[in-house]
């Protein structure tokens, strides 16, 4: 650089762009945190998160899915297109989603039709996907789901900045899942305590509530006991 006015102007533009990126990132994070606090249900939280995704990246379709590591099943939770909520199921690239789940890392793919990893995938071919991103709902070493977005248009492909925004929203979505799970376990415990408090001692209630929760089941022990009715 020779210190010319042109160089100085270029540096000023770069600094302004960097400040704008930081400001946009802070707004996105703040809006996502507000969604976690203000939304009462997980579906409502995911709706807000997906809305933020479309505000932050040039996605044409988007889906948030749960993933059960034990069974390997994936279940869509919310989905929408650029025009709004989708009344029809959105088919996504399972190859891209599985890659993210297995590696537990976000993925950006531009022109997946030419990508050796995904170019032969049926879903990629049929949907004519031109650009796709996927971010895991990753927390404490486990992937509880993912956020998937893609484009069929060849213009305005996704960038690494878009992937960073999607990754941040994936982390916050994982927090939402954990928060909802804790709230449901607490509600279950309160229901059990309310039912048993009329008949059982606090020590018995603590033992029952302290067992690992399985929906629709309560732990049981087999033992020889004596019961006195008086």
């Amino acid at each position: 650089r020779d210190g010319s006015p042109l160089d100085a102007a270029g540096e000023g533009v770069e600094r302004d762009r960097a400040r704008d990126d930081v400001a946009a990132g802070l707004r996105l994070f703040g809006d996502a945190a507000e969604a976690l606090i203000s939304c009462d249900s997980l579906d409502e939280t995911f709706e807000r998160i997906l809305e933020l995704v479309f505000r932050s990246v040039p996605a044409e379709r988007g889906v948030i899915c749960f993933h059960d590591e034990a069974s390997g099943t994936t279940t869509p939770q919310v989905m929408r297109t650029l025009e709004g909520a989708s009344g029809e199921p959105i088919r996504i690239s399972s190859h891209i989603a599985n890659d993210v789940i297995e590696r537990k890392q976000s993925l950006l793919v531009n022109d997946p039709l030419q990508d050796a990893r995904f170019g032969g995938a049926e879903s990629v071919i049929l949907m004519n996907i031109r650009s796709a991103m996927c971010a895991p709902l990753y927390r404490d070493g486990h992937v509880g789901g993912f956020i998937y977005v893609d484009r069929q248009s060849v213009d305005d492909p996704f960038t690494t900045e878009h992937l960073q925004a999607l990754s941040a929203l994936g982390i916050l979505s994982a927090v939402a899942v954990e928060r909802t799970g804790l709230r449901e376990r607490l509600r279950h415990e309160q229901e059990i305590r309310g039912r048993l408090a009329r008949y059982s001692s606090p020590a018995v209630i603590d033992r029952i509530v302290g067992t690992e929760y399985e929906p629709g089941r309560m732990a049981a022990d087999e033992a020889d006991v004596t019961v006195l009715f008086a």
Side-chain angles (χ1 to χ4, degrees), residues 198-221:
R198 293 175 292 175
Y199 310 108
S200 305
S201 69
V204 172
I205 296 174
D206 288 340
R207 181 178 179 185
I208 294 175
V209 172
T211 58
E212 184 175 352
Y213 168 56
E214 294 183 34
R217 299 185 59 187
M218 294 181 63
D221 291 327

Side-chain angles (χ1 to χ4, degrees), residues 21-44:
D21 290 342
V22 171
L26 291 174
R27 285 195 300 271
L28 175 63
F29 199 86
D31 290 343
E34 181 184 357
L36 293 182
I37 296 172
S38 62
C39 294
D40 295 328
S41 67
L42 189 58
D43 285 345
E44 184 183 0

Side-chain angles (χ1 to χ4, degrees), residues 10 29 65 83 122 160 165 196 208-209 226:
F29 199 86
C65 295
E83 291 74 24
E122 180 183 359
T160 54
L196 297 180
I208 294 175
V209 172
T226 299

Side-chain angles (χ1 to χ4, degrees), residues 179-211:
R179 176 172 172 264
T180 300
L182 291 173
R183 187 166 57 234
E184 290 177 352
R185 286 194 292 272
L186 178 60
R187 185 184 301 115
H188 174 73
E189 178 178 329
Q190 291 172 338
E191 291 174 354
I192 291 179
R193 286 185 179 276
R195 289 198 300 266
L196 297 180
R198 293 175 292 175
Y199 310 108
S200 305
S201 69
V204 172
I205 296 174
D206 288 340
R207 181 178 179 185
I208 294 175
V209 172
T211 58

